[in-house]
Amino acid sequence: MKNKYFDTTVVIPTKNREGMLKRALSSVFRQTLLPKEVIIVDDCSDHLVEMDVSDGIANLKVSIVNNSECLGGAESRNIGVRLAQSKYISFLDDDDTWDSTYLSRVATVLESNAGVQAAYTSKRFVLSSSLDLVFKENIVSGIVGKAEILRGNA
């Protein structure tokens, strides 16, 4: 399935965390089903984000938007959404990573369940120094509703 594309835009907000951003972007490049595009929204970092995406995937559109003032993570995500040219939006924070089959699994759920417009996935909380050391998990199984999504977010 490598080098096939899912009609989604990955929006990654960032601010002053270039090392983490590179790790997040690397997890996007390792997807078995690639996104249509990636939009990185830099929320006024001390130094302009300049990513060398040549190590990524050929033909994968990667754009960097530099906010002229600090707008916060939520508005930075909204900027990415407004610029997106895909059917779906996939959010990835700069300090997070995806398993290599993440987009493939999300695409399967969205495209095989008519009327489903959003996907929420399980998550693991790890230490930034060791991505293998899981200290908390929120496992989702099957299709869930709004109440399940909000559980644990209060």
Side-chain angles (χ1 to χ4, degrees):
M1 203 177 248
K2 196 67 170 168
N3 292 327
K4 293 198 176 208
Y5 294 88
F6 173 41
D7 193 11
T8 190
T9 297
V10 178
V11 176
I12 308 175
T14 191
K15 182 175 181 175
N16 292 326
R17 299 199 287 199
E18 191 171 332
M20 289 183 177
L21 174 62
K22 286 179 182 180
R23 185 179 71 187
L25 195 56
S26 178
S27 79
V28 174
F29 292 156
R30 286 192 308 268
Q31 293 300 297
T32 57
L33 182 63
L34 295 169
K36 181 179 176 183
E37 66 178 339
V38 177
I39 298 175
I40 300 166
V41 184
D42 177 26
D43 193 29
C44 234
S45 290
D46 294 338
H47 304 285
L48 283 179
V49 171
E50 296 178 4
M51 301 298 300
D52 179 10
V53 295
S54 61
D55 293 336
I57 304 295
N59 301 323
L60 179 59
K61 180 181 173 187
V62 179
S63 305
I64 300 173
V65 177
N66 293 295
N67 293 347
S68 59
E69 61 181 308
C70 191
L71 300 172
E75 183 56 27
S76 293
R77 285 179 194 85
N78 290 341
I79 289 169
V81 168
R82 284 192 291 273
L83 294 172
Q85 299 178 16
S86 302
K87 180 176 180 180
Y88 299 107
I89 305 296
S90 299
F91 293 112
L92 177 62
D93 286 349
D94 62 1
D95 61 342
D96 292 337
T97 62
W98 286 338
D99 291 334
S100 63
T101 59
Y102 173 79
L103 284 178
S104 176
R105 289 180 286 135
V106 168
T108 298
V109 170
L110 291 174
E111 294 175 351
S112 63
N113 293 282
V116 173
Q117 296 180 336
Y120 172 83
T121 61
S122 301
K123 56 188 169 188
R124 290 187 201 111
F125 298 87
V126 298
L127 300 175
S128 62
S129 59
S130 173
L131 296 180
D132 296 326
L133 183 58
V134 177
F135 64 90
K136 182 180 174 186
E137 288 186 315
N138 181 7
I139 304 300
V140 175
S141 168
I143 297 176
V144 299
K146 184 176 179 181
E148 279 296 308
I149 292 172
L150 295 175
R151 185 175 55 86
N153 288 332

